[in-house]
Amino acid sequence: MATSTRRPERREQPLSRERIVEAAVELLDTAGEGGLTFRALTERLATGPGAIYWHVANKGELLGAATDAVVAAALALEPAAPTAPTAPTGHAGSPQEGIRAVALGLFEAIDAHPWLATQLSGQLSRSPSGPVAPRIFESFGRQVGALGVPERDWFTATSVLVHYVLGAAGQNAANAASARALGPEVDRAEILGTVARAWGDLDPDDYPFTRAVADQLREHDDREQFLAGVDLVLTGITARLR
């Protein structure tokens, strides 16, 4: 009996850099950084490697573009020229609400894309002049300026927010990845319960604080705790203004 191999669907529109980046994000979400290869891209896009290399030079450039695309979507910002920090845009309400919105957008993007935290950390350290770092700093910095922070303190205040948000969101993503590695039969409540019991059994003389917060660990909500941390940072910034 004759068999046939299913061919990739023919593309109806010309290949673009945007479509390549979109496909790269899809591969990263499903297969991780190791699964993002130009061979996998050519199969997914039903094209040849030459067509992809016309738009993207190498994997490093592709990872950078994918990271920037996800961050831009999370911040709901177009890649346009920056505006003055004293004129916040993109978020209605107070500067505090704008900062929470930016922070939550990044938190949820990192949670939804397990590969993003590592890429953000690498790009902010290796390529601070690339598009990702200015995009994140601009989003927070506009709101920091609108809070009334003196210009001499803009960089420090914004850096504190960026470090907290990316650090906390990255740790949350790492925790989620560790939980997934244990298998679908193990849920978050079970993991937290195990850790809480271990904390509760610590020596009371050596770990009085850790024992005291064991039940809070068991019951905490990651998203609420993250936003509470943002509020603590904002409280410190506004207290200095007073």
Side-chain angles (χ1 to χ4, degrees):
M1 181 174 63
T3 60
S4 61
T5 301
R6 182 178 179 183
R7 296 173 177 263
E9 295 183 4
R10 181 183 297 274
R11 288 182 288 105
E12 297 180 355
Q13 296 181 355
L15 187 65
S16 65
R17 180 182 172 89
E18 290 72 20
R19 179 64 191 110
I20 294 171
V21 172
E22 180 184 343
V25 171
E26 293 168 356
L27 280 171
L28 286 165
D29 287 346
T30 56
E33 184 177 340
L36 178 61
T37 65
F38 277 71
R39 179 177 180 178
L41 271 178
T42 59
E43 294 176 355
R44 194 177 194 91
L45 295 168
T47 188
I52 295 177
Y53 282 114
W54 177 264
H55 296 280
V56 183
N58 51 52
K59 184 174 179 178
E61 181 182 339
L62 186 58
L63 283 167
T67 302
D68 186 46
V70 172
V71 169
L75 301 178
L77 287 176
E78 296 295 331
T83 58
T86 52
T89 61
H91 303 287
S94 67
Q96 289 89 339
E97 291 172 342
I99 287 171
R100 293 187 192 99
V102 172
L104 189 57
L106 288 171
F107 179 86
E108 292 181 341
I110 291 172
D111 186 57
H113 304 279
W115 52 274
L116 184 59
T118 300
Q119 289 302 314
L120 282 173
S121 176
Q123 290 204 32
L124 265 63
S125 61
R126 294 192 304 267
S127 304
S129 59
V132 174
R135 192 184 300 284
I136 293 174
F137 269 80
E138 183 69 22
S139 298
F140 282 113
R142 293 179 185 183
Q143 310 299 333
V144 167
L147 281 172
V149 175
E151 185 172 353
R152 65 179 181 274
D153 295 327
W154 280 354
F155 178 70
T156 298
T158 303
S159 294
V160 170
L161 280 165
V162 170
H163 290 318
Y164 167 73
V165 168
L166 297 186
Q171 184 61 57
N172 179 72
N175 293 342
S178 297
R180 285 192 298 270
L182 295 175
E185 67 279 0
V186 180
D187 62 14
R188 178 179 181 277
E190 182 178 351
I191 295 171
L192 291 181
T194 299
V195 178
R197 287 190 294 273
W199 284 17
D201 291 337
L202 291 171
D203 187 294
D205 295 325
D206 293 337
Y207 299 96
F209 169 81
T210 307
R211 283 169 53 91
V213 300
D215 286 338
Q216 296 178 35
L217 166 71
R218 186 197 312 269
E219 299 168 0
H220 85 280
D221 178 273
D222 295 327
R223 189 173 182 271
E224 291 178 0
Q225 186 184 63
F226 171 77
L227 289 173
V230 174
D231 287 341
L232 286 172
V233 176
L234 286 174
T235 298
I237 292 174
T238 53
R240 288 198 64 179
L241 291 176
R242 292 194 297 269

